[in-house]
Amino acid sequence: MAGLKILSVTSELFPLIKTGGLADVAGALPLALADLGHEVVTLIPGYPAVMEAIKGRRRVHDFDDLFGGPARLWRARAGALELFVIEAAHLYQRKGNPYLGPNGLDWPDNAQRFAALGFVAAEIGRGLDAKFQPDIVHAHDWQAGLAPVYLHYGPEPRPKTLITIHNLAFQGRFEASLLAKLRLPVEAFTLQGVEYFGGIGFLKGALALSDAIATVSPTYALEILGPEAGMGLDGLLRQRAGSLHGILNGLDREAWNPEADVHLFTRYKRAITARARAQNKLALQQRLGLKLDPQALLLGVVSRLSEQKGLDLLLDVLGEFAGSPLQLALLGSGDPVIQQGFARLAAAAPQRFACSFAYDEPLAHMIQGGSDAFLVPSRFEPCGLTQLAALRYGAIPVVAHVGGLADTVIDANAAALQAGVATGICFYPVTREALAAALRRTLTLFGEPKTWRKMQANGMSADFSWDQPARHYAALYHQLISA
Ligand code: ADP
């Protein structure tokens, strides 16, 4: 099949700017598509970290007024990533988190900041850069959601549009009074357009008006058709079910590779895993001030701390395991109440429970390489990337049986154990009782080294690279173009 030109539109991009899995996906998918012969350029806001990282700039266009000030569009590179970057000091020249101010609240002008992203994407879609006319505009999440909307209400011809939902919980809802300021036509404010519960919905508009919708796992694609996971958008998604595709994320196998991971005490391949992992476990225990106990079951967590991630349940059940050889290495940040809970836990038993409330890439890798099991008790999980890293690193994933977790971990039930295919422990419903039972099951399996090692080997040989997902996306792009 012929190579396509794809404009990927995103508000986060690993390794330049990241708050979660969206950055990982936006960073890895273009490279996997390039390996298949497609030309992908990513449009990203010019946050300080992005402006500092880009090389070989070419000026594409100057905007006199991009939602409140002048702006310049650059074509540039950062490492292997091909980029369009919007330099707009009035919108993006702010340090720290891309969405929140220093007070922890959304920037008050997020509507304008991310409307600008969609607006420029649509302009590129219509030929702003004569050297890159995209066949497809691929928007990611609500921040890029207005790209297909501006294209829909603008002149023909236009490229085909795709929106990928990475998390339906984040929808980009703003006041209706912003309609004209956001350069949206009056006719866009309808049920078929951006109108959403009386306001403007960036994601809602994209779901209504993109040529196709993707989300990041097949199970999540089904879950969001129901009222619970659908979060107000399930009705619209049911209408568009024929255009909704569940494409599982991959893992960036260069960023997450135990054979070459500079953050590990000892790097390892499958053949020498047990000894190397024991050394990494010891190094992790030492770094976190845990008891240096090779026999303890060291449970790792790397997560945003939010209601979604279900870690409040872990706080509830740990009391039951006072007499068990269970240790915890938790790295996360977010909800201050959940954080306080874990801080109290660690203060009461620092040799058993270590909790670090930072964003710490090296420690995230150490936890994957040094913990015995890796917990993801999410109430919902569109795909989840940490369990994929855990599989690759030989940490046994203990996960809620929802969304992408259900699509990537094979529970060690009797049938899977007999067939020799188990890779982890799954539980459902997502309750404290089910989590406690899963942890008891994990302790039992940990006491059966042969079974444990078989599960580790199964997980480490599973292929969750980007190759298959990139082929799926490429097939979808072709399908859209020939429609
Ligand atoms: P989500 O996008 O919902 O936060 P994912 O599992 O899809 O969850 O992706 C989370 C990504 O962010 C993973 O790459 C994980 O390693 C990383 N991550 C999350 N919290 C931290 C943290 N505190 N420090 C370092 N990396 C983190």
Side-chain angles (χ1 to χ4, degrees):
M1 282 192 281
L4 299 174
K5 286 190 165 58
I6 298 135
L7 179 70
S8 175
V9 189
T10 179
S11 60
E12 295 184 30
L13 186 65
F14 182 82
L16 306 183
I17 177 105
K18 167 167 165 175
T19 73
L22 166 62
D24 294 314
V25 175
L29 178 58
L31 304 183
L33 285 163
D35 286 344
L36 299 178
H38 303 289
E39 190 182 348
V40 187
V41 184
T42 300
L43 174 67
I44 175 111
Y47 312 115
V50 173
M51 295 311 300
E52 280 161 28
I54 57 176
K55 304 264 179 326
R57 308 173 178 195
R58 168 170 65 82
R59 188 173 69 83
V60 176
H61 187 78
D62 284 338
F63 296 88
D64 294 336
D65 175 16
L66 187 67
F67 298 92
R72 176 166 289 179
L73 180 66
W74 296 100
R75 179 74 171 79
R77 270 193 327 277
L81 292 167
E82 298 291 339
L83 305 176
F84 283 115
V85 176
I86 308 168
E87 183 175 21
H90 63 293
L91 300 174
Y92 307 128
Q93 191 61 42
R94 306 172 196 179
K95 287 214 185 290
N97 185 295
Y99 316 121
L100 311 176
N103 57 4
L105 301 176
D106 288 348
W107 292 110
D109 58 348
N110 272 352
Q112 287 86 343
R113 295 174 74 229
F114 295 107
L117 180 66
F119 185 86
V120 174
E123 292 295 305
I124 298 170
R126 287 205 198 88
L128 190 65
D129 183 4
K131 295 189 176 151
F132 185 79
Q133 171 59 61
D135 302 301
I136 298 276
V137 172
H138 183 170
H140 294 275
D141 270 353
W142 75 263
Q143 294 89 346
L146 289 193
V149 173
Y150 290 122
L151 281 166
H152 176 86
Y153 291 107
E156 297 284 340
R158 62 166 183 85
K160 298 290 181 178
T161 54
L162 172 68
I163 175 86
T164 291
I165 305 166
H166 296 264
N167 191 336
L168 205 56
F170 304 110
Q171 302 187 345
R173 292 174 66 169
F174 301 99
E175 282 170 28
S177 60
L178 286 172
L179 196 73
K181 265 199 186 140
L182 298 183
R183 305 183 190 175
L184 289 165
V186 179
E187 67 265 28
F189 198 70
T190 62
L191 205 59
Q192 289 74 35
V194 297
E195 190 278 330
Y196 188 47
F197 292 114
I200 297 169
F202 279 32
L203 183 62
K204 190 267 170 166
L207 297 182
L209 299 172
S210 296
D211 293 308
I213 303 166
T215 191
V216 289
S217 70
T219 294
Y220 192 58
L222 293 175
E223 289 170 348
I224 57 179
L225 299 179
E228 197 179 331
M231 300 189 165
L233 288 163
D234 48 300
L236 173 58
L237 286 165
R238 280 196 298 279
Q239 271 177 29
R240 299 225 52 202
S243 305
L244 172 63
H245 305 263
I247 303 178
L248 200 63
N249 282 338
L251 181 72
D252 182 338
R253 291 173 72 87
E254 281 182 27
W256 296 100
N257 177 6
E259 286 182 44
D261 191 326
V262 295
H263 304 304
L264 296 187
F265 184 78
T266 307
R267 294 183 270 283
Y268 54 94
K269 289 192 215 173
R270 266 175 68 191
I272 54 152
T273 301
R275 223 182 64 219
R277 292 196 103 268
Q279 289 168 349
N280 287 329
K281 177 173 172 179
L282 207 63
L284 182 61
Q285 287 170 327
Q286 200 148 27
R287 150 88 191 257
L288 297 175
L290 292 165
K291 185 173 173 207
L292 304 181
D293 179 359
Q295 308 304 328
L297 172 71
L298 178 48
L299 188 64
V301 173
V302 178
S303 182
R304 287 186 291 116
L305 301 180
S306 71
E307 160 90 11
Q308 175 197 340
K309 299 292 180 178
L311 289 159
D312 49 306
L313 299 173
L314 179 64
L315 276 174
D316 282 352
V317 305
L318 278 175
E320 279 181 43
F321 293 86
S324 307
L326 186 70
Q327 293 185 338
L328 176 69
L330 176 137
L331 169 64
S333 55
D335 186 327
V337 177
I338 303 176
Q339 195 162 312
Q340 279 158 21
F342 281 105
R344 274 197 297 275
L345 184 82
Q351 291 217 311
R352 292 192 64 207
F353 305 125
C355 302
S356 178
F357 307 115
Y359 191 88
D360 187 337
E361 198 80 32
L363 182 57
H365 285 247
M366 285 183 72
I367 291 176
Q368 293 286 6
S371 52
D372 298 298
F374 189 94
L375 180 66
V376 192
S378 305
R379 292 189 165 89
F380 69 94
E381 192 57 76
C383 179
L385 293 172
T386 55
Q387 86 281 10
L388 298 183
L391 287 167
R392 181 123 204 255
Y393 277 62
I396 298 292
V398 180
V399 304
H401 194 74
V402 298
L405 300 171
D407 291 336
T408 53
V409 179
I410 303 176
D411 179 50
N413 60 29
L417 286 173
Q418 264 187 39
V421 296
T423 60
I425 289 111
C426 301
F427 65 94
Y428 194 82
V430 190
T431 58
R432 45 166 301 167
E433 292 76 18
L435 172 59
L439 291 177
R440 285 195 293 272
R441 219 150 48 90
T442 308
L443 281 161
T444 304
L445 286 165
F446 188 58
E448 300 168 14
K450 209 170 139 212
T451 310
W452 192 265
R453 278 200 300 272
K454 174 69 178 150
M455 288 169 64
Q456 281 181 312
N458 289 344
M460 291 183 78
S461 58
D463 177 9
F464 288 111
S465 71
W466 268 104
D467 184 55
Q468 276 308 317
R471 286 176 198 280
H472 275 153
Y473 273 110
L476 178 54
Y477 299 148
H478 278 290
Q479 188 186 322
L480 290 177
I481 287 167
S482 56

